[in-house]
Amino acid sequence: HAPPRLHVAFISSDLLRDHPVGNIMSHILPLHDLSRMQITLYIVHEHQQHFASQAENKHVLGDVRIVMLGRGPHVSSLYHPQESEEAAELVNSAGVCILVDLVG
């Protein structure tokens, strides 16, 4: 019986694009030992869903879970407080042990 994996999550709007955060994370994500860790990427901008499906990002992502949170902070209307509460509940209910906020 394998021990439970540590659940680590990253939240960002820039993980999968040509941006300093995306550039460094493309080197860091593949270093995680997925036999010992469960990795979740919480993306907060809709364009990230498109980037996640692109073949060149598949080797970076490996076997990680990708979850969209709300509409994202860079849309035409302000980020609604209810969306923040729903996002916090979603992360909490997922059993995340470590959440790394890369939004800035």
PDB file of all heavy atoms in Angstrom, residues 4-11 15 25 28-29 32-34 36-42 61 63-67 91 94-102:
ATOM      1  N   PRO A   4       0.246   8.107   1.022  1.00  0.00           N
ATOM      2  CA  PRO A   4      -0.450   9.178   0.287  1.00  0.00           C
ATOM      3  C   PRO A   4       0.557  10.176  -0.282  1.00  0.00           C
ATOM      4  O   PRO A   4       1.625  10.399   0.292  1.00  0.00           O
ATOM      5  CB  PRO A   4      -1.338   9.824   1.343  1.00  0.00           C
ATOM      6  CG  PRO A   4      -0.789   9.412   2.654  1.00  0.00           C
ATOM      7  CD  PRO A   4      -0.062   8.117   2.442  1.00  0.00           C
ATOM      8  N   ARG A   5       0.205  10.730  -1.422  1.00  0.00           N
ATOM      9  CA  ARG A   5       1.077  11.717  -2.060  1.00  0.00           C
ATOM     10  C   ARG A   5       0.793  13.112  -1.494  1.00  0.00           C
ATOM     11  O   ARG A   5      -0.338  13.438  -1.165  1.00  0.00           O
ATOM     12  CB  ARG A   5       0.861  11.724  -3.571  1.00  0.00           C
ATOM     13  CG  ARG A   5       1.227  10.408  -4.227  1.00  0.00           C
ATOM     14  CD  ARG A   5       1.127  10.467  -5.729  1.00  0.00           C
ATOM     15  NE  ARG A   5      -0.232  10.765  -6.158  1.00  0.00           N
ATOM     16  CZ  ARG A   5      -0.562  11.141  -7.388  1.00  0.00           C
ATOM     17  NH1 ARG A   5       0.361  11.271  -8.312  1.00  0.00           N
ATOM     18  NH2 ARG A   5      -1.807  11.393  -7.701  1.00  0.00           N
ATOM     19  N   LEU A   6       1.829  13.911  -1.380  1.00  0.00           N
ATOM     20  CA  LEU A   6       1.699  15.296  -0.966  1.00  0.00           C
ATOM     21  C   LEU A   6       1.021  16.071  -2.091  1.00  0.00           C
ATOM     22  O   LEU A   6       1.451  15.993  -3.245  1.00  0.00           O
ATOM     23  CB  LEU A   6       3.088  15.886  -0.684  1.00  0.00           C
ATOM     24  CG  LEU A   6       3.146  17.352  -0.277  1.00  0.00           C
ATOM     25  CD1 LEU A   6       2.507  17.544   1.096  1.00  0.00           C
ATOM     26  CD2 LEU A   6       4.594  17.823  -0.267  1.00  0.00           C
ATOM     27  N   HIS A   7      -0.034  16.802  -1.770  1.00  0.00           N
ATOM     28  CA  HIS A   7      -0.776  17.549  -2.788  1.00  0.00           C
ATOM     29  C   HIS A   7      -0.277  18.987  -2.815  1.00  0.00           C
ATOM     30  O   HIS A   7      -0.498  19.761  -1.891  1.00  0.00           O
ATOM     31  CB  HIS A   7      -2.276  17.502  -2.490  1.00  0.00           C
ATOM     32  CG  HIS A   7      -3.121  18.001  -3.624  1.00  0.00           C
ATOM     33  ND1 HIS A   7      -4.483  17.886  -3.615  1.00  0.00           N
ATOM     34  CD2 HIS A   7      -2.812  18.607  -4.788  1.00  0.00           C
ATOM     35  CE1 HIS A   7      -4.972  18.410  -4.734  1.00  0.00           C
ATOM     36  NE2 HIS A   7      -3.962  18.861  -5.458  1.00  0.00           N
ATOM     37  N   VAL A   8       0.424  19.336  -3.896  1.00  0.00           N
ATOM     38  CA  VAL A   8       0.979  20.669  -4.095  1.00  0.00           C
ATOM     39  C   VAL A   8       0.241  21.311  -5.269  1.00  0.00           C
ATOM     40  O   VAL A   8       0.023  20.673  -6.297  1.00  0.00           O
ATOM     41  CB  VAL A   8       2.493  20.606  -4.404  1.00  0.00           C
ATOM     42  CG1 VAL A   8       3.059  21.993  -4.650  1.00  0.00           C
ATOM     43  CG2 VAL A   8       3.232  19.908  -3.278  1.00  0.00           C
ATOM     44  N   ALA A   9      -0.141  22.574  -5.086  1.00  0.00           N
ATOM     45  CA  ALA A   9      -0.863  23.276  -6.149  1.00  0.00           C
ATOM     46  C   ALA A   9      -0.210  24.626  -6.415  1.00  0.00           C
ATOM     47  O   ALA A   9       0.382  25.240  -5.525  1.00  0.00           O
ATOM     48  CB  ALA A   9      -2.321  23.468  -5.756  1.00  0.00           C
ATOM     49  N   PHE A  10      -0.306  25.046  -7.655  1.00  0.00           N
ATOM     50  CA  PHE A  10       0.193  26.343  -8.084  1.00  0.00           C
ATOM     51  C   PHE A  10      -0.985  27.113  -8.671  1.00  0.00           C
ATOM     52  O   PHE A  10      -1.794  26.552  -9.405  1.00  0.00           O
ATOM     53  CB  PHE A  10       1.267  26.187  -9.165  1.00  0.00           C
ATOM     54  CG  PHE A  10       2.473  25.433  -8.697  1.00  0.00           C
ATOM     55  CD1 PHE A  10       2.527  24.052  -8.817  1.00  0.00           C
ATOM     56  CD2 PHE A  10       3.546  26.100  -8.138  1.00  0.00           C
ATOM     57  CE1 PHE A  10       3.643  23.345  -8.390  1.00  0.00           C
ATOM     58  CE2 PHE A  10       4.663  25.396  -7.704  1.00  0.00           C
ATOM     59  CZ  PHE A  10       4.711  24.019  -7.834  1.00  0.00           C
ATOM     60  N   ILE A  11      -1.068  28.400  -8.367  1.00  0.00           N
ATOM     61  CA  ILE A  11      -2.120  29.234  -8.928  1.00  0.00           C
ATOM     62  C   ILE A  11      -1.474  30.390  -9.667  1.00  0.00           C
ATOM     63  O   ILE A  11      -0.582  31.055  -9.138  1.00  0.00           O
ATOM     64  CB  ILE A  11      -3.105  29.721  -7.845  1.00  0.00           C
ATOM     65  CG1 ILE A  11      -4.218  30.562  -8.457  1.00  0.00           C
ATOM     66  CG2 ILE A  11      -2.402  30.478  -6.742  1.00  0.00           C
ATOM     67  CD1 ILE A  11      -5.352  30.876  -7.508  1.00  0.00           C
ATOM     68  N   LEU A  15       1.156  30.573 -16.106  1.00  0.00           N
ATOM     69  CA  LEU A  15       1.926  29.333 -16.054  1.00  0.00           C
ATOM     70  C   LEU A  15       2.297  28.767 -17.412  1.00  0.00           C
ATOM     71  O   LEU A  15       3.334  28.145 -17.557  1.00  0.00           O
ATOM     72  CB  LEU A  15       1.147  28.264 -15.279  1.00  0.00           C
ATOM     73  CG  LEU A  15       1.179  28.391 -13.767  1.00  0.00           C
ATOM     74  CD1 LEU A  15       0.179  27.433 -13.151  1.00  0.00           C
ATOM     75  CD2 LEU A  15       2.567  28.115 -13.243  1.00  0.00           C
ATOM     76  N   MET A  25       8.574  28.136 -14.641  1.00  0.00           N
ATOM     77  CA  MET A  25       7.791  26.953 -14.271  1.00  0.00           C
ATOM     78  C   MET A  25       7.918  25.834 -15.297  1.00  0.00           C
ATOM     79  O   MET A  25       7.786  24.669 -14.953  1.00  0.00           O
ATOM     80  CB  MET A  25       6.323  27.330 -14.055  1.00  0.00           C
ATOM     81  CG  MET A  25       6.099  28.170 -12.802  1.00  0.00           C
ATOM     82  SD  MET A  25       6.733  27.424 -11.280  1.00  0.00           S
ATOM     83  CE  MET A  25       5.621  26.035 -11.113  1.00  0.00           C
ATOM     84  N   ILE A  28      10.639  24.004 -13.792  1.00  0.00           N
ATOM     85  CA  ILE A  28      10.409  23.502 -12.432  1.00  0.00           C
ATOM     86  C   ILE A  28       9.382  22.370 -12.400  1.00  0.00           C
ATOM     87  O   ILE A  28       9.589  21.377 -11.693  1.00  0.00           O
ATOM     88  CB  ILE A  28       9.982  24.660 -11.503  1.00  0.00           C
ATOM     89  CG1 ILE A  28      11.170  25.607 -11.300  1.00  0.00           C
ATOM     90  CG2 ILE A  28       9.455  24.142 -10.170  1.00  0.00           C
ATOM     91  CD1 ILE A  28      10.828  26.863 -10.548  1.00  0.00           C
ATOM     92  N   LEU A  29       8.301  22.487 -13.153  1.00  0.00           N
ATOM     93  CA  LEU A  29       7.244  21.463 -13.100  1.00  0.00           C
ATOM     94  C   LEU A  29       7.751  20.055 -13.402  1.00  0.00           C
ATOM     95  O   LEU A  29       7.399  19.120 -12.686  1.00  0.00           O
ATOM     96  CB  LEU A  29       6.087  21.821 -14.024  1.00  0.00           C
ATOM     97  CG  LEU A  29       5.123  22.873 -13.495  1.00  0.00           C
ATOM     98  CD1 LEU A  29       4.114  23.259 -14.572  1.00  0.00           C
ATOM     99  CD2 LEU A  29       4.407  22.384 -12.254  1.00  0.00           C
ATOM    100  N   HIS A  32       9.230  17.714 -10.427  1.00  0.00           N
ATOM    101  CA  HIS A  32       8.433  17.144  -9.340  1.00  0.00           C
ATOM    102  C   HIS A  32       8.309  15.630  -9.500  1.00  0.00           C
ATOM    103  O   HIS A  32       8.067  15.131 -10.604  1.00  0.00           O
ATOM    104  CB  HIS A  32       7.044  17.778  -9.302  1.00  0.00           C
ATOM    105  CG  HIS A  32       7.065  19.204  -8.860  1.00  0.00           C
ATOM    106  ND1 HIS A  32       7.373  20.231  -9.715  1.00  0.00           N
ATOM    107  CD2 HIS A  32       6.821  19.760  -7.654  1.00  0.00           C
ATOM    108  CE1 HIS A  32       7.323  21.367  -9.051  1.00  0.00           C
ATOM    109  NE2 HIS A  32       6.989  21.119  -7.791  1.00  0.00           N
ATOM    110  N   ASP A  33       8.460  14.915  -8.415  1.00  0.00           N
ATOM    111  CA  ASP A  33       8.332  13.456  -8.396  1.00  0.00           C
ATOM    112  C   ASP A  33       6.848  13.112  -8.249  1.00  0.00           C
ATOM    113  O   ASP A  33       6.301  13.148  -7.150  1.00  0.00           O
ATOM    114  CB  ASP A  33       9.136  12.887  -7.236  1.00  0.00           C
ATOM    115  CG  ASP A  33       9.077  11.375  -7.175  1.00  0.00           C
ATOM    116  OD1 ASP A  33       8.307  10.755  -7.940  1.00  0.00           O
ATOM    117  OD2 ASP A  33       9.808  10.805  -6.339  1.00  0.00           O
ATOM    118  N   LEU A  34       6.213  12.803  -9.372  1.00  0.00           N
ATOM    119  CA  LEU A  34       4.770  12.560  -9.359  1.00  0.00           C
ATOM    120  C   LEU A  34       4.390  11.246  -8.688  1.00  0.00           C
ATOM    121  O   LEU A  34       3.219  11.002  -8.448  1.00  0.00           O
ATOM    122  CB  LEU A  34       4.203  12.640 -10.778  1.00  0.00           C
ATOM    123  CG  LEU A  34       4.347  14.015 -11.439  1.00  0.00           C
ATOM    124  CD1 LEU A  34       3.782  13.984 -12.847  1.00  0.00           C
ATOM    125  CD2 LEU A  34       3.703  15.105 -10.606  1.00  0.00           C
ATOM    126  N   ARG A  36       5.400  10.720  -5.703  1.00  0.00           N
ATOM    127  CA  ARG A  36       5.297  11.152  -4.311  1.00  0.00           C
ATOM    128  C   ARG A  36       4.424  12.393  -4.134  1.00  0.00           C
ATOM    129  O   ARG A  36       4.098  12.754  -3.009  1.00  0.00           O
ATOM    130  CB  ARG A  36       6.697  11.437  -3.763  1.00  0.00           C
ATOM    131  CG  ARG A  36       7.568  10.191  -3.772  1.00  0.00           C
ATOM    132  CD  ARG A  36       8.970  10.462  -3.332  1.00  0.00           C
ATOM    133  NE  ARG A  36       8.967  11.096  -2.018  1.00  0.00           N
ATOM    134  CZ  ARG A  36       9.963  11.839  -1.575  1.00  0.00           C
ATOM    135  NH1 ARG A  36      11.025  12.041  -2.316  1.00  0.00           N
ATOM    136  NH2 ARG A  36       9.905  12.386  -0.376  1.00  0.00           N
ATOM    137  N   MET A  37       4.111  13.067  -5.252  1.00  0.00           N
ATOM    138  CA  MET A  37       3.355  14.305  -5.189  1.00  0.00           C
ATOM    139  C   MET A  37       2.205  14.294  -6.178  1.00  0.00           C
ATOM    140  O   MET A  37       2.335  13.758  -7.275  1.00  0.00           O
ATOM    141  CB  MET A  37       4.241  15.503  -5.538  1.00  0.00           C
ATOM    142  CG  MET A  37       5.451  15.673  -4.686  1.00  0.00           C
ATOM    143  SD  MET A  37       6.494  16.940  -5.409  1.00  0.00           S
ATOM    144  CE  MET A  37       6.608  18.024  -4.035  1.00  0.00           C
ATOM    145  N   GLN A  38       1.133  14.901  -5.772  1.00  0.00           N
ATOM    146  CA  GLN A  38       0.022  15.183  -6.686  1.00  0.00           C
ATOM    147  C   GLN A  38       0.105  16.671  -6.981  1.00  0.00           C
ATOM    148  O   GLN A  38       0.142  17.492  -6.059  1.00  0.00           O
ATOM    149  CB  GLN A  38      -1.307  14.848  -6.029  1.00  0.00           C
ATOM    150  CG  GLN A  38      -2.500  15.217  -6.874  1.00  0.00           C
ATOM    151  CD  GLN A  38      -3.809  14.970  -6.149  1.00  0.00           C
ATOM    152  OE1 GLN A  38      -3.854  14.345  -5.097  1.00  0.00           O
ATOM    153  NE2 GLN A  38      -4.885  15.469  -6.709  1.00  0.00           N
ATOM    154  N   ILE A  39       0.178  17.038  -8.255  1.00  0.00           N
ATOM    155  CA  ILE A  39       0.324  18.434  -8.633  1.00  0.00           C
ATOM    156  C   ILE A  39      -0.966  18.902  -9.314  1.00  0.00           C
ATOM    157  O   ILE A  39      -1.482  18.257 -10.217  1.00  0.00           O
ATOM    158  CB  ILE A  39       1.509  18.642  -9.606  1.00  0.00           C
ATOM    159  CG1 ILE A  39       2.808  18.107  -9.002  1.00  0.00           C
ATOM    160  CG2 ILE A  39       1.625  20.105 -10.011  1.00  0.00           C
ATOM    161  CD1 ILE A  39       3.283  18.837  -7.783  1.00  0.00           C
ATOM    162  N   THR A  40      -1.443  20.060  -8.869  1.00  0.00           N
ATOM    163  CA  THR A  40      -2.602  20.699  -9.479  1.00  0.00           C
ATOM    164  C   THR A  40      -2.206  22.106  -9.882  1.00  0.00           C
ATOM    165  O   THR A  40      -1.554  22.815  -9.122  1.00  0.00           O
ATOM    166  CB  THR A  40      -3.794  20.766  -8.506  1.00  0.00           C
ATOM    167  OG1 THR A  40      -4.144  19.439  -8.106  1.00  0.00           O
ATOM    168  CG2 THR A  40      -5.004  21.420  -9.155  1.00  0.00           C
ATOM    169  N   LEU A  41      -2.588  22.492 -11.094  1.00  0.00           N
ATOM    170  CA  LEU A  41      -2.396  23.866 -11.556  1.00  0.00           C
ATOM    171  C   LEU A  41      -3.758  24.535 -11.579  1.00  0.00           C
ATOM    172  O   LEU A  41      -4.659  24.092 -12.281  1.00  0.00           O
ATOM    173  CB  LEU A  41      -1.802  23.881 -12.963  1.00  0.00           C
ATOM    174  CG  LEU A  41      -0.489  23.156 -13.177  1.00  0.00           C
ATOM    175  CD1 LEU A  41      -0.063  23.281 -14.632  1.00  0.00           C
ATOM    176  CD2 LEU A  41       0.586  23.693 -12.257  1.00  0.00           C
ATOM    177  N   TYR A  42      -3.898  25.571 -10.788  1.00  0.00           N
ATOM    178  CA  TYR A  42      -5.114  26.377 -10.806  1.00  0.00           C
ATOM    179  C   TYR A  42      -4.829  27.581 -11.696  1.00  0.00           C
ATOM    180  O   TYR A  42      -3.948  28.390 -11.402  1.00  0.00           O
ATOM    181  CB  TYR A  42      -5.498  26.836  -9.396  1.00  0.00           C
ATOM    182  CG  TYR A  42      -5.984  25.703  -8.534  1.00  0.00           C
ATOM    183  CD1 TYR A  42      -5.166  25.131  -7.572  1.00  0.00           C
ATOM    184  CD2 TYR A  42      -7.270  25.195  -8.699  1.00  0.00           C
ATOM    185  CE1 TYR A  42      -5.610  24.093  -6.786  1.00  0.00           C
ATOM    186  CE2 TYR A  42      -7.722  24.139  -7.919  1.00  0.00           C
ATOM    187  CZ  TYR A  42      -6.886  23.605  -6.962  1.00  0.00           C
ATOM    188  OH  TYR A  42      -7.331  22.562  -6.186  1.00  0.00           O
ATOM    189  N   LEU A  61       3.778  19.661 -18.604  1.00  0.00           N
ATOM    190  CA  LEU A  61       2.704  19.382 -17.657  1.00  0.00           C
ATOM    191  C   LEU A  61       2.758  17.985 -17.090  1.00  0.00           C
ATOM    192  O   LEU A  61       2.454  17.778 -15.919  1.00  0.00           O
ATOM    193  CB  LEU A  61       1.348  19.618 -18.323  1.00  0.00           C
ATOM    194  CG  LEU A  61       1.084  21.059 -18.745  1.00  0.00           C
ATOM    195  CD1 LEU A  61      -0.215  21.144 -19.518  1.00  0.00           C
ATOM    196  CD2 LEU A  61       1.057  21.974 -17.539  1.00  0.00           C
ATOM    197  N   ASP A  63       1.682  14.550 -15.832  1.00  0.00           N
ATOM    198  CA  ASP A  63       0.413  14.062 -15.291  1.00  0.00           C
ATOM    199  C   ASP A  63      -0.053  14.969 -14.152  1.00  0.00           C
ATOM    200  O   ASP A  63      -0.069  14.586 -12.996  1.00  0.00           O
ATOM    201  CB  ASP A  63       0.588  12.623 -14.795  1.00  0.00           C
ATOM    202  CG  ASP A  63      -0.724  12.005 -14.358  1.00  0.00           C
ATOM    203  OD1 ASP A  63      -1.783  12.447 -14.843  1.00  0.00           O
ATOM    204  OD2 ASP A  63      -0.692  11.096 -13.511  1.00  0.00           O
ATOM    205  N   VAL A  64      -0.374  16.216 -14.514  1.00  0.00           N
ATOM    206  CA  VAL A  64      -0.868  17.158 -13.514  1.00  0.00           C
ATOM    207  C   VAL A  64      -2.326  17.477 -13.808  1.00  0.00           C
ATOM    208  O   VAL A  64      -2.782  17.358 -14.942  1.00  0.00           O
ATOM    209  CB  VAL A  64      -0.032  18.463 -13.459  1.00  0.00           C
ATOM    210  CG1 VAL A  64       1.415  18.176 -13.157  1.00  0.00           C
ATOM    211  CG2 VAL A  64      -0.171  19.261 -14.724  1.00  0.00           C
ATOM    212  N   ARG A  65      -3.020  17.870 -12.774  1.00  0.00           N
ATOM    213  CA  ARG A  65      -4.432  18.241 -12.901  1.00  0.00           C
ATOM    214  C   ARG A  65      -4.501  19.741 -13.139  1.00  0.00           C
ATOM    215  O   ARG A  65      -3.825  20.518 -12.462  1.00  0.00           O
ATOM    216  CB  ARG A  65      -5.155  17.863 -11.620  1.00  0.00           C
ATOM    217  CG  ARG A  65      -6.618  18.110 -11.646  1.00  0.00           C
ATOM    218  CD  ARG A  65      -7.270  17.496 -10.399  1.00  0.00           C
ATOM    219  NE  ARG A  65      -8.644  17.910 -10.356  1.00  0.00           N
ATOM    220  CZ  ARG A  65      -9.206  18.543  -9.341  1.00  0.00           C
ATOM    221  NH1 ARG A  65      -8.514  18.794  -8.260  1.00  0.00           N
ATOM    222  NH2 ARG A  65     -10.469  18.901  -9.386  1.00  0.00           N
ATOM    223  N   ILE A  66      -5.334  20.161 -14.082  1.00  0.00           N
ATOM    224  CA  ILE A  66      -5.507  21.579 -14.376  1.00  0.00           C
ATOM    225  C   ILE A  66      -6.948  21.955 -14.071  1.00  0.00           C
ATOM    226  O   ILE A  66      -7.885  21.309 -14.536  1.00  0.00           O
ATOM    227  CB  ILE A  66      -5.166  21.879 -15.843  1.00  0.00           C
ATOM    228  CG1 ILE A  66      -3.710  21.511 -16.120  1.00  0.00           C
ATOM    229  CG2 ILE A  66      -5.434  23.344 -16.169  1.00  0.00           C
ATOM    230  CD1 ILE A  66      -3.320  21.602 -17.559  1.00  0.00           C
ATOM    231  N   VAL A  67      -7.112  23.005 -13.266  1.00  0.00           N
ATOM    232  CA  VAL A  67      -8.438  23.448 -12.840  1.00  0.00           C
ATOM    233  C   VAL A  67      -8.564  24.935 -13.126  1.00  0.00           C
ATOM    234  O   VAL A  67      -7.698  25.724 -12.758  1.00  0.00           O
ATOM    235  CB  VAL A  67      -8.657  23.189 -11.331  1.00  0.00           C
ATOM    236  CG1 VAL A  67     -10.008  23.698 -10.879  1.00  0.00           C
ATOM    237  CG2 VAL A  67      -8.495  21.712 -11.014  1.00  0.00           C
ATOM    238  N   VAL A  91     -10.224  24.922  -3.688  1.00  0.00           N
ATOM    239  CA  VAL A  91      -8.860  24.536  -3.317  1.00  0.00           C
ATOM    240  C   VAL A  91      -8.875  23.790  -1.985  1.00  0.00           C
ATOM    241  O   VAL A  91      -8.241  22.745  -1.833  1.00  0.00           O
ATOM    242  CB  VAL A  91      -7.939  25.772  -3.249  1.00  0.00           C
ATOM    243  CG1 VAL A  91      -6.580  25.411  -2.664  1.00  0.00           C
ATOM    244  CG2 VAL A  91      -7.773  26.390  -4.636  1.00  0.00           C
ATOM    245  N   ALA A  94     -10.175  20.280  -2.184  1.00  0.00           N
ATOM    246  CA  ALA A  94      -9.304  19.375  -2.957  1.00  0.00           C
ATOM    247  C   ALA A  94      -8.212  18.754  -2.092  1.00  0.00           C
ATOM    248  O   ALA A  94      -7.497  17.874  -2.538  1.00  0.00           O
ATOM    249  CB  ALA A  94      -8.676  20.123  -4.114  1.00  0.00           C
ATOM    250  N   GLY A  95      -8.072  19.218  -0.861  1.00  0.00           N
ATOM    251  CA  GLY A  95      -7.061  18.653   0.028  1.00  0.00           C
ATOM    252  C   GLY A  95      -5.653  19.097  -0.287  1.00  0.00           C
ATOM    253  O   GLY A  95      -4.696  18.368  -0.055  1.00  0.00           O
ATOM    254  N   VAL A  96      -5.511  20.299  -0.814  1.00  0.00           N
ATOM    255  CA  VAL A  96      -4.198  20.834  -1.123  1.00  0.00           C
ATOM    256  C   VAL A  96      -3.421  21.061   0.164  1.00  0.00           C
ATOM    257  O   VAL A  96      -3.923  21.672   1.096  1.00  0.00           O
ATOM    258  CB  VAL A  96      -4.324  22.158  -1.931  1.00  0.00           C
ATOM    259  CG1 VAL A  96      -2.980  22.832  -2.102  1.00  0.00           C
ATOM    260  CG2 VAL A  96      -4.981  21.890  -3.273  1.00  0.00           C
ATOM    261  N   CYS A  97      -2.196  20.545   0.211  1.00  0.00           N
ATOM    262  CA  CYS A  97      -1.322  20.726   1.384  1.00  0.00           C
ATOM    263  C   CYS A  97      -0.512  22.001   1.278  1.00  0.00           C
ATOM    264  O   CYS A  97      -0.295  22.704   2.261  1.00  0.00           O
ATOM    265  CB  CYS A  97      -0.377  19.548   1.515  1.00  0.00           C
ATOM    266  SG  CYS A  97      -1.212  17.970   1.750  1.00  0.00           S
ATOM    267  N   ILE A  98      -0.008  22.286   0.069  1.00  0.00           N
ATOM    268  CA  ILE A  98       0.815  23.467  -0.182  1.00  0.00           C
ATOM    269  C   ILE A  98       0.270  24.170  -1.421  1.00  0.00           C
ATOM    270  O   ILE A  98       0.178  23.561  -2.488  1.00  0.00           O
ATOM    271  CB  ILE A  98       2.291  23.091  -0.402  1.00  0.00           C
ATOM    272  CG1 ILE A  98       2.851  22.369   0.814  1.00  0.00           C
ATOM    273  CG2 ILE A  98       3.119  24.332  -0.747  1.00  0.00           C
ATOM    274  CD1 ILE A  98       4.218  21.755   0.584  1.00  0.00           C
ATOM    275  N   LEU A  99      -0.088  25.448  -1.263  1.00  0.00           N
ATOM    276  CA  LEU A  99      -0.555  26.249  -2.398  1.00  0.00           C
ATOM    277  C   LEU A  99       0.462  27.349  -2.649  1.00  0.00           C
ATOM    278  O   LEU A  99       0.754  28.151  -1.766  1.00  0.00           O
ATOM    279  CB  LEU A  99      -1.930  26.851  -2.094  1.00  0.00           C
ATOM    280  CG  LEU A  99      -2.500  27.769  -3.186  1.00  0.00           C
ATOM    281  CD1 LEU A  99      -2.746  26.996  -4.475  1.00  0.00           C
ATOM    282  CD2 LEU A  99      -3.782  28.429  -2.702  1.00  0.00           C
ATOM    283  N   VAL A 100       1.003  27.380  -3.861  1.00  0.00           N
ATOM    284  CA  VAL A 100       1.995  28.386  -4.244  1.00  0.00           C
ATOM    285  C   VAL A 100       1.284  29.406  -5.126  1.00  0.00           C
ATOM    286  O   VAL A 100       0.817  29.070  -6.212  1.00  0.00           O
ATOM    287  CB  VAL A 100       3.185  27.754  -4.990  1.00  0.00           C
ATOM    288  CG1 VAL A 100       4.207  28.815  -5.364  1.00  0.00           C
ATOM    289  CG2 VAL A 100       3.817  26.649  -4.160  1.00  0.00           C
ATOM    290  N   ASP A 101       1.194  30.643  -4.637  1.00  0.00           N
ATOM    291  CA  ASP A 101       0.510  31.726  -5.348  1.00  0.00           C
ATOM    292  C   ASP A 101       1.514  32.429  -6.240  1.00  0.00           C
ATOM    293  O   ASP A 101       2.419  33.104  -5.771  1.00  0.00           O
ATOM    294  CB  ASP A 101      -0.098  32.699  -4.329  1.00  0.00           C
ATOM    295  CG  ASP A 101      -0.870  33.828  -4.972  1.00  0.00           C
ATOM    296  OD1 ASP A 101      -0.846  33.963  -6.225  1.00  0.00           O
ATOM    297  OD2 ASP A 101      -1.490  34.607  -4.231  1.00  0.00           O
ATOM    298  N   LEU A 102       1.340  32.287  -7.552  1.00  0.00           N
ATOM    299  CA  LEU A 102       2.228  32.905  -8.530  1.00  0.00           C
ATOM    300  C   LEU A 102       1.535  34.034  -9.276  1.00  0.00           C
ATOM    301  O   LEU A 102       2.024  34.486 -10.306  1.00  0.00           O
ATOM    302  CB  LEU A 102       2.724  31.840  -9.531  1.00  0.00           C
ATOM    303  CG  LEU A 102       3.531  30.701  -8.926  1.00  0.00           C
ATOM    304  CD1 LEU A 102       3.770  29.613  -9.969  1.00  0.00           C
ATOM    305  CD2 LEU A 102       4.828  31.202  -8.345  1.00  0.00           C
TER     306      LEU A 102
END
